Amino acid sequence: MGGAHAFRPAEHIRKRSDYTRIYDSGSKNHGRLMTVFVQASERPHARLGIAATRKLGPAVDRNRAKRRVRELFRHHKPDAGLDIVVVPRRELLDAPFASLEAEFRVLVERRGPRGAPRAPRHGRSSRPRAHSGV
RNA sequence: GCAGCCGGCCGGAUGACCGCCGCUGCCGGUAACCGCGGGCAACCGCGAAGUGCCGGCAGGGGAGGAAAGUCCGAACUCCGCAGAGCAGUGCGCCGGGUAACACCCGGGCGGGGCAACCCGACGGAAAGUGGCACAGAAAAUAUACCGCCCGCCUUCGCCCUCGGCUCUCUGAGCCUCGGGCUUCGGCGGGGCAAGCCCAUGACAGGGGGCGCGCGCACGGAGCCGAGGGCUCCCGCGAGCGGCCCCCCUCUCAGGGUUUACCCCGCCGCAGCGCGGAGCCCGGAGGGCGGAGCGCGAAGGUGGGUAAGGGUGAAAUGGUGCGGUAAGAGCGCACCGCGCCGCUGGCAACAGCGGUGGCAGGCCAAACCCCGCACGGAGCAAGACCAAAUAGGGAGGCGAUUGGCGCCUCGGCGUCGCAAGACGCCGGGGACGGCCAGGGAGGGCGGCUCGCCCAAGGCUUCCGGGUAGGUUGCUCGAUCCCGUCAGCAAUGACGGGGCUAGAGGAAUGGUCAUCCCGCCGAAGCGCGCGGGCCGCAAGGCCCGCGUGCGAAGGCGGACAGAAUUCGGCUUACAGGCCGACUGCGGCG
RNA sequence: GUCCCCGUCGUCCAGAGGCCCAGGACGCGGCCCUUUCAAGGCUGAAACACGGGUUCGAAUCCCGUCGGGGACG
């Protein structure tokens, strides 16, 4: 029943190779609370990966950051096939949830401004894949 | 009531919406490898299997006391291993508990606290090696040194001078007072190379603070003296000294301080007695006096001694009496220590008695010795399944000719004592080692021709094995309750329960209400002090402290399982329960 | 997760029970030299990660924290 806000295993990014691919050829946007990598994919649904490094804090803080980011993804899930990797910053831990939602929306959709979902730096052309939401 | 001490426990609650991960049941969809059968084959059917996977619904479960640090100990897994030892590491009072431990319990000993109680790496220093700065005679050998005592040897000044005495009298000798020289020692003052400190204010003095140290000292006066020490006074139930910081004299300074060295001044030391002969005077007798003797001092030397020696973190048992030439556990008493015996205790150890005569400093978290334990790695251990790509092995298909190279055998030649090496010729063999030819096949193409690529080909199987997946993975030295044994740790028995299993890693997100703590105006209560009124009881006002206190605000810790247990260590807001100790109050 | 290693001036090192209130080089401050700068000379400031313990005495030896780095078919 609850499918709209669910977060299924298929929506996790798990493989190391997926992460490196998104780091290399996805678009990258910095915010005050987090950094977001976005890359388009062939899948019918979006996927999420979280990279909480030890720099963020001890295990309690890292787990809390991941839970809040997952919650963001559940409530603001893009309908298109996008691979998203979020790198949380320390400021994310104490920020109000509403400010997280605002920043997450902006960072995910900002991938547009400098052209379609495309690797800005590595120029390895991924063909323009019309996405309505920009 | 306050302060303390020990043990145990909890570690926010409830609800709403949206979610996550296992398990169980039901419902819907749906495979594959593989096996069997059929078919020329593509493939089909059956089994595997309605399993696994995907989705839905329902039920039930889902972080900790430290999950942390990874400091110990184990289980488990793989590797290694005849046995024993060495090395290395860890542990170290005794007894018990345990699967094991560096953990726990009980006891002993030592230390701290008024006490409850707390703390302790707590074997061995006559097995050996080594270290102990500075100071000090000496830092481990009980010797040397200083000193004390005994014996022996040598020596016991010089110059000037007041005064005196004697004589053989412009002089000589002797005694005495004072001074000087020389040598040594002590005390005081001054100078100053150099070092250090100081405008961030030195130094000195005074006051205050803090911690550490010593403890009847500090200060004052005197005495003995070889080293070095002793006595008295003041003070006295507590202080004193050193270091550091702050303040004041003080915005005062080219100054202060220490040691070495130099100079100056002061003090101290440098024989006395008896005495035959002799000489002189003489009444007795007296004076001088060589040698000698005794005592004393200085130096040297031979011995005795371990009492004492400013030091130091530490000094060779302590105190007292006797004893001695001086001394000494040399003797005695007490204390300490070692050994032996008895008693109590399983033991560590304790008590008592006897005995020895001191038997030898500290450091083993210095090397080490003794006793005990330990094979190594770690769930990224290990096991199973197994893409793509590359590579390995075996087979099949296709072309299989020549040359070079390779292997082997034979002959000849050169070198060599030989073994053998090198070269040439010939026979045989293998080969995807190289080159050329050949061309199965492939590409362009509807087909042929043609062109291009081309033995680094196509294909089957096998083994290792990467990504990935499955497993190991949660029923266990398990948890709860009770009984029994035990002082306890713990164990035995009985009953009951199943209590997270993720894997880029779940156990939550957002909000509401409540709970707890802190702040908190007005107001109220209590205590203390002051003022006013009142004869008094008391009342009023002011100030301070304290308790209760609405709305509201702030806060609710430390921290997230990763193979699993037993410990240790570290972090932690707030709260609850119980035992005990000290002090105060009331009865 | 499992297992190792290391912490000394601002930086890189030395020191290995007392000679160390810790030494050297570079860097930093001041003075001298120079017309000036550099070089050179003189000089100064500056550190034992933290907390306990052993010892007469600890940067050094032991224990525990904290921080940093590394390895993992």
Side-chain angles (χ1 to χ4, degrees):
Chain A
M1 92 180 167
H5 292 303
F7 185 45
R8 301 227 160 71
E11 298 176 284
H12 287 243
I13 299 173
R14 296 178 190 271
K15 291 188 177 181
R16 180 69 196 166
S17 55
D18 287 341
Y19 276 91
T20 52
R21 195 192 71 244
I22 294 167
Y23 288 150
D24 286 342
S25 54
S27 74
K28 176 183 182 186
N29 290 303
H30 295 281
R32 196 176 61 81
L33 304 174
M34 65 192 94
T35 299
V36 177
F37 292 81
V38 181
Q39 189 190 35
S41 74
E42 309 282 352
R43 297 171 199 278
H45 54 79
R47 296 196 305 166
L48 174 68
I50 307 167
T53 66
R54 294 191 63 148
K55 202 195 305 180
L56 186 72
V60 174
D61 294 339
R62 295 201 299 273
N63 285 353
R64 176 173 162 81
K66 286 189 274 191
R67 287 196 300 262
R68 300 193 89 184
V69 171
R70 274 197 298 269
E71 206 67 17
L72 283 176
F73 182 79
R74 285 205 305 116
H75 290 290
H76 306 281
K77 199 182 293 181
D79 39 350
L82 292 177
D83 282 349
I84 301 173
V85 173
V86 176
V87 180
R89 307 181 60 186
R90 287 199 65 83
E91 289 76 9
L92 178 140
L93 294 173
D94 298 323
F97 197 73
S99 68
L100 293 188
E101 292 175 313
E103 179 165 321
F104 180 74
R105 250 196 308 262
V106 168
L107 291 178
V108 168
E109 301 190 355
R110 195 201 281 164
R111 84 205 124 91
R114 264 166 305 183
R118 187 179 51 147
R121 208 180 307 139
H122 296 275
R124 181 183 326 218
S125 72
S126 61
R127 13 327 59 246
R129 184 175 306 153
H131 278 307
S132 55
V134 171

